[in-house]
Amino acid sequence: MKGRNIVLIGFMGCGKSTVGKNLADALSYEFRDTDAMIEEAYGNTISQMFAEDGEEYFRNAETELLRKLSGDAKGLVLATGGGMPMREENRTLLREIGTVVFLEAKIETILERLQNDTGRPLADGEDREKRLRPLYEKRLPVYREAADYILDTEGKSFYAIIEEIKTVAGNATKR
Ligand code: S3P
């Protein structure tokens, strides 16, 4: 029987999509990614949305999507964009949608993973570290606050992370 949806939150490069896809497979759940859903719905890439319409437009698209998903079926693993929990309304909606798991990783690990990455407007360009460190510091307490479960991913294999989520997702919550 399919249980509550599982919602993955965390900074860019923390592994939400990779973990999410494998977790969904392991549970026979459906995997969805909010970035991909927005790109599909708007027929535009996130980079283009930021460049052409501005970040606020993209943030509104994120909230709109969560509103739709909050009435959705069970059995989903949902990977969310790294900025999703920053709006209070989004945090409420995320909790309505499912059990919220924060994939915590160190900024050093994240910077390494994003080294050759493109397509993330907030991480692209010069001085990546200078821009991402303060953003990470600002977001960290918000991710923690938004989460039902905080999962420290450092030094853990994807397999171990997935096993941990499987164990906690059904019942253990902070609140
Ligand atoms: C963002 C993270 C991205 C994407 C957009 C903005 C952010 O998603 O939503 O580029 O504000 O951290 P990922 O966390 O999947 O990279």
Side-chain angles (χ1 to χ4, degrees):
M1 200 178 83
K2 296 202 190 300
R4 240 183 140 222
N5 299 324
I6 299 169
V7 178
L8 302 178
I9 63 166
F11 206 73
M12 292 170 259
C14 73
K16 289 165 292 186
S17 296
T18 314
V19 167
K21 274 181 209 149
N22 287 289
L23 177 67
D25 279 352
L27 294 170
S28 299
Y29 275 24
E30 197 182 322
F31 173 72
R32 294 208 206 152
D33 180 311
T34 60
D35 288 340
M37 291 173 89
I38 289 170
E39 288 189 333
E40 202 182 309
Y42 288 77
N44 211 351
T45 66
I46 289 168
S47 294
Q48 279 167 331
M49 282 176 88
F50 267 68
E52 292 163 12
D53 310 301
E55 180 170 348
E56 194 63 14
Y57 184 82
F58 172 72
R59 299 299 173 196
N60 291 336
E62 284 191 314
T63 302
E64 198 50 49
L65 175 61
L66 289 189
R67 285 186 193 137
K68 283 193 191 124
L69 281 171
S70 67
D72 211 346
K74 296 204 179 295
L76 282 188
V77 174
L78 184 70
T80 59
M84 192 69 99
M86 299 311 289
R87 280 190 182 178
E88 194 184 346
E89 179 183 355
N90 292 358
R91 293 197 288 280
T92 306
L93 288 166
L94 289 170
R95 275 186 220 120
E96 274 171 33
I97 292 167
T99 301
V100 181
V101 179
F102 168 34
L103 300 184
E104 182 162 4
K106 286 188 194 141
I107 184 65
E108 287 76 18
T109 308
I110 284 166
L111 288 169
E112 212 173 291
R113 284 204 196 126
L114 294 179
Q115 228 169 26
N116 298 312
D117 184 82
T118 53
R120 287 178 166 104
L122 297 179
D124 286 347
E126 299 291 298
D127 285 337
R128 182 174 288 205
E129 183 170 348
K130 250 192 198 161
R131 283 181 289 110
L132 291 187
R133 264 187 198 277
L135 192 63
Y136 177 90
E137 299 298 335
K138 187 175 150 197
R139 287 181 175 182
L140 194 58
V142 182
Y143 292 139
R144 288 188 172 145
E145 199 267 331
D148 291 308
Y149 187 77
I150 299 167
L151 198 161
D152 180 6
T153 65
E154 284 299 329
K156 290 179 189 161
S157 66
F158 281 124
Y159 178 76
I161 294 167
I162 287 162
E163 285 306 305
E164 198 170 326
I165 300 174
K166 275 162 69 180
T167 312
V168 300
N171 39 36
T173 57
K174 247 176 22 182
R175 49 181 76 80

